[in-house]
C-alpha cells in the first residue's frame, strides 16, 4: 500500500493506489505461507533434536517417562508458541503416568512441524518396555528427519535458479517503463492517463499474473516430488504410520 500510494502521487493517477490495495491480500497470503513453512521446518528440527536427546537419556538408564518429560523441558518447547501445546500434552502424560503414545499422536496433529511425533508414538508403543530398543528406534527417527531436512534444503537450492529467473522476467516490464522514461517517452502518462494505455496495462497485468501463476505451479509440482508429509520418517524401508 505505501508503494502504491507513492507511485500514485508521483504519477498523479489512482491506478497505482488501487493496484497496491489489490496486492495486499495475495502478498499477505504469500508471506503467511512462507512464515508457516519456516515454522514447520523449525518444528521438525525440534522434533529431531528431541528424539536424539531422548535416545541418549534412555541409553544412560533413564526411565522412558522421566526422560521424555526432561527432554521436553530441556528443549524449551513451552516457550515456543507453535510447540507450547505439544509440550503441555507430552509433559502431562509423561509426568502423571498418562498414555504417552496417545499424547504423542495428539501432539502430532496439532501443528505441521510436529507430525514427526506420530513416528515417535509408534516407536514408543512397540518398544517402551525395552529402553535400548526404543533408543535405537528414536535414533532412526531423528536420522530420517535430518535426512528429509537435508533433502528440502537441496531441493530449495536447485529451485533457486528457476525462482530467480521468474522474478527477473516479472520485473522486465518495470525496467522497460523506467527505460522509456529515461528516453523521454513518458510511458507512465500513456499507461495511466489514456484509454489505450490503460487497456495495455490491464492486458499486461493479466499476462504477468498468468506467467507468475504458471511458474509457481511448476515449482510447486517440483517441490511435490518429496514426501507429502515430512513428519513421517522412513524406518526399515516403510513409512511409520
Amino acid at each position: 500500500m505505501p508503494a502504491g500510494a507513492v507511485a500514485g502521487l508521483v504519477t498523479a493517477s489512482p491506478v497505482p493506489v488501487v493496484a497496491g490495495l489489490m496486492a495486499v491480500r495475495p502478498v499477505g497470503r504469500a508471506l503467511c505461507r512462507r512464515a508457516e513453512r519456516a515454522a514447520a521446518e523449525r518444528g521438525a528440527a525440534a522434533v529431531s533434536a528431541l528424539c536424539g536427546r531422548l535416545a541418549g537419556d534412555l541409553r544412560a538408564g533413564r526411565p522412558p517417562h522421566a526422560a521424555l518429560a526432561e527432554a521436553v523441558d530441556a528443549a524449551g518447547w513451552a516457550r515456543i508458541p507453535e510447540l507450547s501445546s505439544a509440550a503441555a500434552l507430552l509433559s502431562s502424560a509423561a509426568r502423571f503416568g498418562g498414555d504417552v503414545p496417545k499424547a504423542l499422536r495428539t501432539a502430532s496433529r496439532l501443528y505441521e512441524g510436529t507430525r514427526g511425533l506420530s513416528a515417535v508414538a509408534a516407536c514408543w508403543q512397540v518398544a517402551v518396555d525395552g529402553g535400548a530398543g526404543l533408543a535405537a528406534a528414536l535414533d532412526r527417527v531423528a536420522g530420517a528427519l535430518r535426512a528429509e531436512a537435508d533433502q528440502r534444503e537441496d531441493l530449495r537450492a536447485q529451485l533457486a535458479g528457476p525462482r530467480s529467473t521468474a522474478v527477473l522476467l516479472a520485473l522486465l516490464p518495470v525496467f522497460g517503463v523506467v527505460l522509456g522514461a529515461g528516453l523521454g517517452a513518458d510511458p507512465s502518462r500513456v499507461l495511466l492517463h489514456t484509454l489505450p494505455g490503460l487497456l495495455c496495462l490491464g492486458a499486461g497485468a493479466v499476462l504477468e499474473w498468468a506467467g507468475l501463476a504458471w511458474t509457481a505451479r511448476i515449482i510447486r509440482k517440483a517441490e511435490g516430488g518429496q514426501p507429502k508429509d515430512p513428519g513421517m520418517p522412513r524406518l526399515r524401508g516403510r513409512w511409520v504410520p
Side-chain angles (χ1 to χ4, degrees), residues 13-119:
S13 171
V15 175
V17 179
V18 174
L21 290 173
M22 293 176 63
V24 169
R25 187 182 180 93
V27 170
R29 283 202 305 264
L31 293 176
C32 286
R33 284 196 298 268
R34 179 180 294 180
E36 290 172 358
R37 186 165 54 247
E41 292 177 1
R42 290 195 300 270
V47 172
S48 176
L50 179 72
C51 290
R53 180 182 180 89
L54 184 55
D57 289 345
L58 290 172
R59 288 196 174 92
R62 296 287 297 166
H65 286 71
L68 177 60
E70 291 180 5
V72 172
D73 290 343
W77 283 23
R79 298 186 297 272
I80 303 175
E82 58 266 20
L83 298 176
S84 58
S85 298
L89 277 171
L90 300 182
S91 295
S92 298
R95 293 184 186 280
F96 302 109
D99 189 345
V100 173
K102 182 179 179 180
L104 286 166
R105 290 192 180 93
T106 303
S108 71
R109 293 190 293 268
L110 292 176
Y111 176 66
E112 184 178 356
T114 60
R115 290 182 181 177
L117 292 175
S118 61

Side-chain angles (χ1 to χ4, degrees), residues 176-182 184-192:
V177 172
V178 173
L179 180 62
D186 198 9
S188 62
R189 183 190 64 80
V190 176
L191 289 174
L192 301 176

Side-chain angles (χ1 to χ4, degrees), residues 121-227:
C123 296
W124 190 287
Q125 190 164 6
V126 300
V128 71
D129 292 333
L134 179 57
L138 290 174
D139 279 336
R140 290 197 295 272
V141 172
L145 290 173
R146 286 193 297 269
E148 288 177 2
D150 293 340
Q151 180 186 13
R152 286 194 298 270
E153 290 297 326
D154 182 63
L155 183 60
R156 186 177 292 117
Q158 293 182 25
L159 292 175
R163 282 197 177 99
S164 301
T165 302
V167 171
L168 179 61
L169 291 176
L171 292 177
L172 281 180
V174 179
F175 294 152
V177 172
V178 173
L179 180 62
L183 295 175
D186 198 9
S188 62
R189 183 190 64 80
V190 176
L191 289 174
L192 301 176
H193 296 280
T194 66
L195 181 60
L198 289 172
L199 293 176
C200 290
L201 182 63
V206 171
L207 292 174
E208 182 90 352
W209 172 83
L212 289 174
W214 185 28
T215 304
R217 183 179 179 183
I218 293 173
I219 292 176
R220 281 197 302 270
K221 282 189 174 182
E223 290 177 338
Q226 61 181 344

